[in-house]
Amino acid sequence: MSTKVATTLNGVDLPRLTSTVEAVKGSPELGSFKFRISNRWVGGGENRSEVQPFTHAGKVIPHKTGFTLSADEPEVLLGADSGANPVEHLLHALASCVTTSMVYHAAARGMAIDQVESTLEGNLDLRGFLGLAPEIRNGYQGIRVTLRIKASLTDEQLQELSSLGPRFSPVYDSLVRGVPVEVVTERLT
Amino acid sequence: MSTKVATTLNGVDLPRLTSTVEAVKGSPELGSFKFRISNRWVGGGENRSEVQPFTHAGKVIPHKTGFTLSADEPEVLLGADSGANPVEHLLHALASCVTTSMVYHAAARGMAIDQVESTLEGNLDLRGFLGLAPEIRNGYQGIRVTLRIKASLTDEQLQELSSLGPRFSPVYDSLVRGVPVEVVTERLT
């Protein structure tokens, strides 16, 4: 007779999750990550990024395969509409991070999730970007995330579950609290 | 005899750029945009977004084609590494927006650009996400953008050109100054 022990929850490998947490607890330098992309302008509103190897605890780790991310603007914003635009990519970054953060932290708490969907919408006033009104910001004025979750949980547990994304998500934290961005320019010859 | 008038600069349609600015000046409601995505969890660290139609001045405008954006985590972060991760997508959103903002505003100023490349790197300490150290934030601690530009410009003009991205980019502004994010949860049945 053999017994089969469930080792994944929500698609997350629980023994590895536990060992990762313990490893970072014991060696804080294992928490250190540097993520990188490179971007190349194609023309007009079109450009493309290639995701680069990242650094973990001083070690450079390549991704298993290359990832190319394309951006363009819709016609009303003078582009060819060949890809999502930068502010739409920003919404994707937020959606994906809130979802993954919730899923991982739910796994760590033994909460099973059946399904997660979300819709995000962000309001922008182009007068900011165009420099037409100094009191109007260039960026999003606000973003609304609607999370829809299927799970065998009480209403109270569902609220706890849904709070995990905003509580732990790196992109949510970056966006809500802001991030220092340094820009350096070099001449291409 | 006919004369050919240059109507695009940096791939940007100058007459349309001018008419867009004039239209928004005259009718501020034309500045109003609402961008949307929907996201669906696949399992573990994997999820996918579909870019949705956006609203411009109250009118819903579909994109010319569908855009699917995929996210996953690398193996060291317990994923299958099938896509860029959320914080890498965030870097792409920033790179693409800084580039496009610079290109459009350069066109409006009559500054020709030959080439733009950029590399972005962001530092993250996983102890924030893991909840291991309250003093460490969950999000990026800082992002560094290196812009490399080819253009027939003096050093002073190159500096002016490179300042246009940070000065006008909606994603840069959203990230540096922060954005209010509202999260609403619903039960999927």
Side-chain angles (χ1 to χ4, degrees), chain A residues 94-177:
Chain A
L94 179 60
S96 59
C97 200
V98 166
T99 298
T100 299
S101 301
M102 177 177 73
V103 165
Y104 278 36
H105 277 275
R109 284 159 178 74
M111 300 172 99
I113 307 175
D114 296 321
Q115 214 175 318
V116 185
E117 294 175 10
S118 58
T119 52
L120 279 76
E121 54 180 47
N123 292 304
L124 203 90
D125 189 329
L126 197 65
R127 287 178 292 167
F129 170 78
L130 293 177
L132 296 180
E135 75 280 10
I136 294 168
R137 70 178 299 179
N138 304 338
Y140 274 127
Q141 296 178 320
I143 295 172
R144 187 182 167 93
V145 179
T146 306
L147 268 177
R148 286 182 298 280
I149 305 169
K150 189 173 176 186
S152 298
L153 298 171
T154 65
D155 285 352
E156 200 181 331
Q157 288 170 324
L158 192 79
Q159 278 309 317
E160 187 199 339
L161 175 64
S162 67
S163 73
L164 296 173
R167 186 165 154 208
F168 293 107
S169 160
V171 173
Y172 179 92
D173 178 63
S174 298
L175 254 181
V176 168
R177 294 176 56 201

Side-chain angles (χ1 to χ4, degrees), chain B residues 125-184:
Chain B
D125 189 330
L126 197 65
R127 288 179 292 167
F129 170 78
L130 293 176
L132 295 179
E135 76 280 10
I136 293 168
R137 69 177 301 177
N138 305 338
Y140 273 128
Q141 296 178 319
I143 295 172
R144 187 181 167 94
V145 179
T146 305
L147 267 177
R148 286 183 298 281
I149 304 169
K150 189 173 175 182
S152 298
L153 298 172
T154 65
D155 285 352
E156 201 181 331
Q157 289 169 324
L158 192 77
Q159 278 309 316
E160 186 199 339
L161 175 63
S162 66
S163 73
L164 297 173
R167 186 166 154 208
F168 293 107
S169 161
V171 173
Y172 179 92
D173 178 64
S174 298
L175 254 182
V176 168
R177 294 176 56 199
V179 174
V181 178
E182 184 193 8
V183 182
V184 177

Side-chain angles (χ1 to χ4, degrees), chain A residues 40-47 185-188, chain B residues 8-12 14 97-118 147-153 157-165:
Chain A
R40 182 184 291 263
W41 177 48
V42 177
E46 194 182 350
N47 61 71
T185 307
E186 295 170 1
R187 190 186 285 277
L188 249 183
Chain B
T8 68
L9 183 59
N10 304 333
V12 180
L14 291 178
C97 199
V98 166
T99 298
T100 299
S101 300
M102 177 177 74
V103 165
Y104 278 37
H105 277 276
R109 283 160 179 73
M111 299 172 99
I113 307 175
D114 297 320
Q115 213 174 321
V116 185
E117 295 175 7
S118 57
L147 267 177
R148 286 183 298 281
I149 304 169
K150 189 173 175 182
S152 298
L153 298 172
Q157 289 169 324
L158 192 77
Q159 278 309 316
E160 186 199 339
L161 175 63
S162 66
S163 73
L164 297 173

Side-chain angles (χ1 to χ4, degrees), chain B residues 17-33:
Chain B
L17 180 58
T18 305
S19 65
T20 300
V21 174
E22 291 307 315
V24 177
K25 250 188 209 164
S27 308
E29 70 275 15
L30 290 177
S32 157
F33 283 84

